[in-house]
Amino acid sequence: VRPTIVASNTDLLFELFGGQEGSAHADTEERKKTSNTQTPDQLKRGEQMILEFVAKRKVRTRTAKHAPPGPGQLLLRTVSSVVSSGTELKVFRGEFETDSQLDTTIKGMADQTMSYPLTYGYSLVGRVVAVGKGVTAGDFVDKLVFAFAPHGSHALVDADGAMLVPDGISAEDACYLPAVETALALVQDSQPIVGENIAVYGQGMIGLLVTAILSVTFGPEKVFAVEMNPERAEVSRKMGAGTVIHPRALHKGNRVLTDIDVSIEVSGNAKALQAAIDNTANSGRLILGSWYGSKAAELTLGLDFHRSALSIKCSQVSKIPAALSGRWNKRRRFGETWEWVRRLRPSQHLSATILPLPSAQRGYELLDKAETLGVQFAYENN
């Protein structure tokens, strides 16, 4: 059965309470051209389609045999997968440290290095079609499962590394689990308390999710978003940001943002990081969520910074920080993340350009040229 996919804007961004303007129309037209393009059904039994990053700004799909599930494994037929418009775009651009670990915590990636060619991706939902020895078929077969697995028509994953999608959550919503967990981790790392003012620099997918969680938890009047793209800025307001500011308003000496206790930087832009340093109140906290890859970030850390007593913390979602580990573990945070996925229903409000997997090159080029702000792959024949 073909999955129903609700897609209505250009950036994996929330569209709440109505339609969009501007390039949203262009994105709708792009989807009209591509959404009816079926994933090729020439795959023979036992074959799969795999997406590979083969060189800088070059991806391809290829057909290969998929092995039957081994002991403790599941074979998934993919329903939907989402591109990380931050991490994956850097891999596409070649902005990564060559030969570093692909991922330090995800099974199957810890022993792979970042060098071309490579398969990558970690936001996939599929239906279980077979299980290996030691796995109870009734627990998994024909059920939706989330997996941190690369883009492809099928995925072979360890049962203990996959998660059953909770009842009432669609495959399209479930794809956003890693993004929602990242946003939740950033909020937890920032440790805001009632009454504090929080600024979020960058309103891409993660920034908007952070804004949503903060506005629900602490109130819109306490959430300040910094974003230069007018469409993202408008969506940010709909997401609950009480104030949205263009970066031009934050030039040195112009204190538009005052009394900001916590700043969260998720723009991937060193100028935004500098603005966060300059505009967070003395003794405030700055949470750095961006991965800059191999790019250098030049900062001015002069006398004002020296006197600011500003705390800067790097946030990374893979592990629970020591300060929370007494009460929190990954299982508990995943449980909380699923509740936020259920509450936010990202596929209905946080949508992407929908493409079949063979059009992946086009999707990454759209992201690279900022002609769209998010890409989701639909596996029409699955």
Side-chain angles (χ1 to χ4, degrees):
V1 177
R2 177 179 171 178
T4 300
I5 299 175
V6 180
S8 52
N9 72 19
T10 63
D11 184 23
L12 293 179
L13 303 180
F14 281 84
E15 180 194 352
L16 299 180
F17 315 118
Q20 295 187 92
E21 300 176 355
S23 67
H25 174 74
D27 184 63
T28 299
E29 293 303 311
E30 175 69 26
R31 284 197 308 279
K32 286 179 180 178
K33 296 175 185 177
T34 60
S35 62
N36 291 326
T37 302
Q38 297 292 309
T39 302
D41 57 3
Q42 289 82 12
L43 288 179
K44 299 176 183 177
R45 186 175 182 85
E47 287 185 337
Q48 62 179 325
M49 182 171 289
I50 298 170
L51 178 67
E52 286 186 323
F53 295 79
V54 294
K56 187 176 180 179
R57 289 184 165 84
K58 182 66 176 177
V59 298
R60 70 179 180 191
T61 54
R62 66 177 177 87
T63 301
K65 296 287 186 181
H66 64 70
Q73 289 188 319
L74 311 173
L75 177 62
L76 313 182
R77 188 174 61 238
T78 307
V79 175
S80 185
S81 64
V82 169
V83 173
S84 162
S85 55
T87 306
E88 283 188 57
L89 188 55
K90 284 183 168 55
V91 172
F92 179 72
R93 290 170 172 168
E95 297 173 353
F96 56 83
E97 296 87 348
T98 303
D99 294 330
S100 58
Q101 281 181 283
L102 194 58
D103 194 280
T104 59
T105 59
I106 297 175
K107 284 189 174 184
M109 294 188 187
D111 57 350
Q112 298 184 46
T113 59
M114 282 191 169
S115 58
Y116 298 124
L118 75 152
T119 58
Y120 194 60
Y122 50 83
S123 303
L124 180 146
V125 172
R127 195 168 295 279
V128 179
V129 294
V131 301
K133 185 178 179 180
V135 180
T136 303
D139 291 343
F140 289 100
V141 170
D142 206 36
K143 295 183 179 180
L144 285 177
V145 165
F146 172 87
F148 293 98
H151 303 290
S153 65
H154 296 74
L156 196 61
V157 300
D158 290 338
D160 61 1
M163 286 180 272
L164 290 169
V165 176
D167 291 342
I169 296 178
S170 70
E172 292 71 39
D173 282 336
C175 284
Y176 292 90
L177 179 76
V180 177
E181 190 202 4
T182 298
L184 179 61
L186 283 159
V187 173
Q188 289 183 332
D189 278 339
S190 66
Q191 297 184 327
I193 62 175
V194 173
E196 287 191 317
N197 298 313
I198 310 143
V200 183
Y201 288 78
Q203 294 294 280
M205 178 173 64
I206 301 301
L208 284 170
L209 287 166
V210 170
T211 295
I213 294 172
L214 288 171
S215 65
V216 169
T217 306
F218 297 100
E221 69 279 4
K222 295 298 181 181
V223 182
F224 300 76
V226 180
E227 176 55 56
M228 65 185 301
N229 181 292
E231 290 182 348
R232 295 188 187 195
E234 180 59 29
V235 176
S236 182
R237 293 183 183 95
K238 294 176 182 179
M239 285 301 303
T243 303
V244 182
I245 300 168
H246 194 284
R248 282 198 301 264
L250 299 180
H251 60 80
K252 193 172 178 63
N254 184 9
R255 300 292 290 182
V256 174
L257 286 178
T258 59
D259 298 322
I260 296 297
D261 301 281
V262 182
S263 292
I264 300 173
E265 193 279 303
V266 285
S267 71
N269 187 321
K271 292 182 179 179
L273 176 56
Q274 183 70 64
I277 291 171
D278 294 341
N279 289 277
T280 305
N282 286 356
S283 300
R285 307 185 300 284
L286 169 57
I287 308 302
L288 178 57
S290 295
W291 174 44
Y292 284 82
S294 58
K295 294 190 303 182
E298 184 176 339
L299 301 172
T300 299
L301 305 177
L303 187 58
D304 288 345
F305 171 76
H306 181 66
R307 292 173 172 171
S308 70
L310 181 66
S311 297
I312 301 178
K313 180 178 182 179
C314 180
S315 178
Q316 216 288 324
V317 69
S318 296
K319 297 180 179 179
I320 301 295
L324 296 178
S325 61
R327 291 289 304 153
W328 285 81
N329 54 29
K330 288 290 283 188
R331 180 183 295 274
R332 181 178 180 184
R333 191 162 71 189
F334 279 135
E336 181 68 14
T337 302
W338 281 122
E339 290 307 310
W340 280 103
V341 171
R342 190 190 305 277
R343 180 181 298 182
L344 299 177
R345 303 180 71 186
S347 74
Q348 296 190 24
H349 309 297
L350 181 68
S351 199
T353 297
I354 307 296
L355 295 171
L357 194 61
S359 299
Q361 179 70 33
R362 171 64 174 156
Y364 286 102
E365 288 174 353
L366 288 171
L367 284 170
D368 190 31
K369 297 174 183 177
E371 294 177 5
T372 189
L373 301 172
V375 172
Q376 185 175 12
F377 298 128
Y379 299 80
E380 306 271 355
N381 291 341
N382 281 1

